[in-house]
Structures are given as structure tokens and as C-alpha cells.
Amino acid sequence: MARFRNRKNKVFVKPIVKKNQQQQPNVDHITGNKIPKSFVFSRGKLPGPIRQLQMDLRKLMLPYTALNLKEKKRNNLKDFLNVAGPMGVTHFLILSKTETSPVLRVAKTPQGPTLTFKIQEYSLAVDIAQSQLRPRCPQDLFKNPPLIVLSGFAAGDEHLKLTTTVFKNIFPDIDINTVKLSSCQRIVCLNYNKDTKFIDFRHYSIRLQPVGVSRRIRKFVQNHQVPDLRNLQDVSDFVTKAGYGSESEADEEAATVTLTSDLSRVNRASTKSAVKLQEIGPRMTLQLTKIEGGLCSGEVMFSEYGNGGNKKKPDSEEDGDNDDEMKDSDEDNEGEDSEEDIGESEEDEED
Amino acid sequence: MTMEEVSVAAGKRKRNPGKKKGNKAKKKKLKMLVGKGKKFRVSKKMRNLFEKRARDYNSDDEEEKKENSAELATPNDIRRGGVGGDNSSEGSDDSEGEQEEEGGGEVQPGVMKFTEGVRAFRLAFKNIVKKSVANDSLGPVLSGHKQLIAKKLAEEEAERKVKGEAKKEKHLIAEKGHVKPANYLDSHEKFLIGIATKGVVKLFNAVNKAQKAQKGLDPSRSKDAKVIRKRRKEAFFSELGKTSLPAHGSSSKGRNEEGPAWAPLRDNYMLTNPKLKDWDKVGDSAIVDDVGRMSEESGSDDD
């Protein structure tokens, strides 16, 4: 157990500065709420891109997660549970792969509900960076936890409400009276689409840009690069030249914010700034398939296929076959199945 | 095939050293040269040495059992030819045979002059090279061996193919669901970014309002603390009335009760299960109202 503890602390230790080697606070001393911490790990051997996805998710959950968590084949859920207690870890994000698609489980320790999502599509952070013209990753982007925005969930049923609650609680709360805007640099957006029942998962970085300043001057001030004045008669031409605004500037009108304090040299207080988001991090399309009452066990509270749920065993892939087969068959009595599930889970935990 | 014939012919020649057989053209050429060559006398010691060398050299030949036929002079150059053991032995056999045919007292049987050995080798080599070697990847080998090698190669080929296909399938399964995003922002992405931006803007505006309101006030002074609390409550309720905050706003809704600014002094400090709040009181309807209000809010947002 001491092993784990050391690894978690190493997340924040830079080679030079040693003073950061303290335990993370368990309780936010401003809001008084418990800070949720998470483990992101995988069950079973995962192919390459999914391992990358796991790393991306870990970075997303920073700083309140174990970045260098190492798991062995013989670790099972019980081991993680045992470690989670003393370290104050509240959520598990478990990735696994079945024949059809990768699966993400979001579970609340120690006995919380488990939401099972099927990952229909995903894109890695590196893919997204490659697709962008100017990928952006400032130095301390991952120092602060992200904000979270959920949309489209309200119209849903109980299971969607539970989903919103779980996701809201994964990230620490912010107190709007004391929060510093400069510390809100990332945002996670979850959008539920009623028709397709898919949840879009996106992760953006927030950037504030002063508005009302012409582009050239802004770039000049930010980049400190001497502009090319060859073709101009006079400096006033440079300053006052009316250029065509870019398309996005028109949209910015709605997205402007007035700042209370100086965030940086260019974003000064009481001037308008525009909020610009750029996508970083993984992009996923999820489908909620199952909600279980226990931690990867227990009563099935909701199941997409209406079949009383056959618990996907976390350790082996073969049972994915079983699941698929049984989903096709008709099962009427949910109660019977949940008993079977509990039986199966007991067997598992004896591993 | 022809090489075998040559070697067979050479073998025959060896068995009947006295008889004149073999290629007449070769004989003629050799005859011409012999006169030019020097005489070479060997002592008995040297002869034994040459015999021994020849035996070692031709140790895999059957005909070698006849000792007097197996002598070679200057085998070094022939060995160094490096074309193949067969060729050199054939060459040497050839030349040997021819020498023996010459007979004659001047040149000892089984012992070659350097130049003649080289010439003979050259002739033999030329003959071999003249034959068109089959453009087979296996090269000039014996036919039985050839088939074996061909089979082996075919097997390896098949194995590789199967492995390659298995790998491809594995790769496909691994990549399932992995989608590379497009270079441009399509409309759906723009829509999602718009939603997130709206959320951020609302949050920032709310934060700005709240923080501006309490800019001049110090939370530790009790008088001011009251003012702060009051303002917060008002600001909150007004915000709630107007807009729907992103989910994080909900955390602050919990503060609509009176409470000290410092966390441990509040009633709900480290209270993980909100149901246990006010455990000594009857019921708490305030929380329920908040939740209801919040869901209304988000409902209105999505229309």
C-alpha cells in the first residue's frame, strides 16, 4: 500500500522543486466539501489506442487523480477498493474492451452506482492536435480541475438524472465567490442527444482574448514581433487599418465577458474579453448501456437492452460473447437475472 | 546435368589411366602447351606430400580410393577459385585425367604444373558458365534438394501470409471505434463548442458579479460579513431567476443558508451524505426545492 501512496504523490513533484511533495487535501477548505478523487484504470489487456485513451482520460482528470497508476494483471477490483479507502478516492473510471466496442464504466466507491457506457467512437488527444492548425497546450493547463457542462439531460428519465449527478460529482465544486477565473482553464462538455441516445463527450481549453482590439495590434502585443511596415507610409496606417474581421469575430459578440481583475497583460480588468475554446483531449461518443446499483455488481437499475442485464465480467473478454448471446434472448424477469449477477460477482471476487 | 557427365567422364578416365578418352579439343590444346612448359621433378617426399593433400582434398570422392589417381599438384589455386568444390574437383579431375593421358616420363602423373592447372580450371569454369543456369532462386543445386527447398519456401510463404492476415485482423479489432477527426470544424462540433462557450460565459459573468459585489468588503469583519451574505443571497437568486448556470453553479446554491464564512464552522462541514444533514431536525425541504428549481432551469435552457 505504501507503494501506491508514493506514486500518487509523485504526480506533482518536478525534479527540482521538492516542496510539492505533500498529501493532497481531502477536503476543500473553502467550500467544505470533500474533494472527489479518481482512479482511471483498465481491466484486461487493452490494445494500443485504448491505452492511449486511458492516458488521455487520466490527464483529463488531473490534478485529482493518479497519473502514474500502475496495475498488474492480478489486481482485481478488490485491490483497488482497498487502496481507494485510505487515499480518499471516490470514483473509478474503468476501461475495458469487448469484441464489439470499448466500454467505459464510471463507478462511485465504495458502494456507489456503476454506469456502463459503450464507447461508439473515440478520438485521441494526439489525433485532435494533429487535425488542428494551431494546437494549444499552455504549461499549467492541467494544474486545475476542469469545469463541467451538461446539456440535454434534463429531459430524460431517472437514469439520466443519475448520470448527471455522478458526473457533477466527479469534478470538485467551485465556489463562485472565491474562485479565480485564471484557474478555470479547462472545460468538459457532455451533451445528450435525445434521438440517437448518444452522449457526446468533449474537452476544451479556455482562452480569453481581448476584444475590440484590432487583430494586428493584438498580435503585435502578444507576440512581440516587429511587424512588417514596408508597404505602409506611416505608422498610423498600421494602427488604423480596417481589415476584414474573421468570421469568428462576429460570433464573439455573444461570448464576451467582462473581467473583474487582471488576468494577464492583455486581459485587463473592466475590459471586454472574448472567451475562446479550443478542443484538447479525447473526444468520445458514449451510449449508456447499464446502471448497476453496486460497484460493478448489484441490482441492475437500468439496462439499455431491457434484458435484466447480464453483468459484463471485468476480467475476461470471453464473457463478452455470453453477454451478446444472452442479450438476444428474451428475459422477462429482471429479478431472476439480478440474482444471477450477484452470484457471478461473488465468484469473481474470489480471484 | 552436363556437369555430372563431365565428372562421370573424368571418373572413367581415372579408372583407365592409360586409355585415351575425353575431349579431343582439350587434348590438343593441352598438347600444344605441354611443350612450352617446364619440366618438374619431384622427390619421393614431395610426392607423398602431394598424395596426402590430394587425398584430403578429394576425400568425398568414391574414385579416390585408387590412390595413384588422386594426386594433385598445386591444388591451392584451384581451391581458392571458390566456384565450388565440385567445379574445382572436376577441373582438377579433368586436368588430372588429361595429364595421365599424356603419360610421358617428363611429367609425373597426378602432379600439375601451375599454369596448366590454371588453364584447365579456366576451361572447366567456362564450360560451366556457358550453360545457362536456371533463373531459379534456388540456384544450381541438385534436383531432389531443389524440390525440398521449393517446398520449404512455399511453406514459409504460406505461413507468412496467414500470420499477416491474422495480424491485420487483430489490428482492425484494436482500432475499432477509433476515429480520426476531420480537419475542419463541422456543424455539430461548432454546436457543441457553442454550448460550452455559453456555459463558460454564464459562469464567468456570475463570478464577476459576485466578486465585484464583495470587492470592498472584508469577510472577517462581522458587520461586513452580514452584508456579504445578504448580497450573495440576492445575487444568487437573481441569477437563478434569469439564467441557468452550468452545473457548477449548483454547488453555490448550497450556500443560500446562513453560515459562517469559514468552512469548519458550518453545519454541513464534511457532510458527505446530505440526507444526514439536520439529523436532529425534522425534515429539510430546502434541498428538494433547489433540485427542483435546477432541473427546471436546465429544462428551459434546452428549448
Side-chain angles (χ1 to χ4, degrees), chain B residues 17-28:
Chain B
K19 293 191 184 163
K20 296 186 180 183
K21 284 184 187 170
N23 218 339
K24 283 184 184 172
K26 272 192 196 167
K27 255 176 71 180
K28 278 184 191 162

Side-chain angles (χ1 to χ4, degrees), chain B residues 58-285:
Chain B
N58 286 332
S59 58
D60 51 351
D61 272 356
E62 282 181 345
E63 295 88 7
E64 210 280 313
K65 285 181 189 143
K66 304 236 162 165
E67 290 171 0
N68 50 356
S69 57
E71 288 172 351
L72 285 172
T74 66
N76 299 329
D77 284 303
I78 299 170
R79 277 188 209 146
R80 261 184 255 135
V83 174
D86 285 347
N87 294 340
S88 41
S89 62
E90 280 165 319
S92 54
D93 283 350
D94 274 344
S95 40
E96 236 181 89
E98 283 149 27
Q99 270 300 334
E100 282 166 64
E101 281 166 37
E102 294 304 309
E106 288 171 343
V107 181
Q108 296 283 344
V111 168
M112 289 288 303
K113 292 194 187 132
F114 176 67
T115 49
E116 278 148 28
V118 163
R119 270 201 89 259
F121 175 69
R122 176 170 152 263
L123 290 168
F125 185 70
K126 255 180 152 181
N127 268 350
I128 293 167
V129 167
K130 237 191 272 174
K131 301 169 207 158
S132 58
V133 180
N135 274 347
D136 201 359
S137 54
L138 303 175
V141 291
L142 301 176
S143 68
H145 197 219
K146 203 186 262 190
Q147 282 174 1
L148 227 159
I149 290 188
K151 226 196 263 178
K152 256 196 189 168
L153 282 181
E155 271 179 30
E156 271 179 35
E157 195 67 43
E159 226 186 275
R160 238 180 289 158
K161 256 192 190 170
V162 169
K163 272 192 191 167
E165 280 190 21
K167 251 194 189 173
K168 271 190 202 159
E169 271 189 37
K170 236 191 189 179
H171 189 71
L172 235 113
I173 290 181
E175 292 281 327
K176 186 154 191 202
H178 186 202
V179 167
K180 295 235 154 86
N183 268 346
Y184 54 90
L185 279 181
D186 68 345
S187 55
H188 188 54
E189 297 297 321
K190 278 199 183 150
F191 169 65
L192 291 173
I193 283 191
I195 292 178
T197 314
K198 267 190 252 164
V200 172
V201 167
K202 277 178 197 155
L203 177 69
F204 278 23
N205 283 334
V207 167
N208 280 331
K209 258 198 182 164
Q211 292 189 348
K212 211 187 252 181
Q214 59 163 349
K215 233 182 186 177
L217 304 173
D218 187 3
S220 55
R221 290 177 56 200
S222 58
K223 210 164 117 189
D224 285 345
K226 280 191 188 161
V227 180
I228 293 174
R229 266 182 262 134
K230 222 200 220 168
R231 282 209 194 155
R232 271 188 207 154
K233 255 206 269 185
E234 289 169 3
F236 262 136
F237 286 129
S238 60
E239 283 297 321
L240 292 180
K242 274 195 292 181
T243 62
S244 95
L245 293 173
H248 266 285
S250 67
S251 70
S252 318
K253 285 172 194 163
R255 296 217 75 239
N256 61 355
E257 323 172 349
E258 298 266 333
W262 190 41
L265 295 177
R266 294 184 214 140
D267 277 340
N268 59 347
Y269 180 60
M270 288 200 67
L271 200 59
T272 46
N273 188 354
K275 287 187 191 154
L276 295 177
K277 200 163 108 157
D278 298 331
W279 48 274
D280 52 351
K281 291 186 194 155
V282 176
D284 205 346
S285 53

Side-chain angles (χ1 to χ4, degrees), chain A residues 30-32 47 49 97 100 121-123 127 131 168 172 174 177 179 181 187 191 200 202 204 258 260 283, chain B residues 173-180 183 188-189 192-193 196 200 204 208 211 214 232 247-248 251 266 270 294:
Chain A
I30 295 179
T31 60
K97 176 130 169 58
T100 46
E121 297 181 338
Y122 63 94
S123 299
D127 298 334
S131 73
K168 264 191 279 171
I174 59 167
N177 296 302
V179 72
L181 284 182
I187 181 165
N191 176 46
D200 293 315
R202 301 281 185 276
Y204 302 106
T258 312
T260 46
R283 183 196 282 196
Chain B
I173 290 181
E175 292 281 327
K176 186 154 191 202
H178 186 202
V179 167
K180 295 235 154 86
N183 268 346
H188 188 54
E189 297 297 321
L192 291 173
I193 283 191
V200 172
F204 278 23
N208 280 331
Q211 292 189 348
Q214 59 163 349
R232 271 188 207 154
H248 266 285
S251 70
R266 294 184 214 140
M270 288 200 67
M294 201 203 78

Side-chain angles (χ1 to χ4, degrees), chain A residues 185-215:
Chain A
Q185 286 165 310
R186 292 185 290 142
I187 181 165
V188 168
C189 171
L190 282 147
N191 176 46
Y192 176 68
N193 189 335
K194 253 180 298 185
D195 310 319
T196 62
K197 294 204 179 160
F198 287 166
I199 301 175
D200 293 315
F201 179 104
R202 301 281 185 276
H203 182 214
Y204 302 106
S205 72
I206 300 175
R207 194 166 44 124
L208 287 168
Q209 216 175 48
V211 100
V213 186
S214 89
R215 204 162 170 204

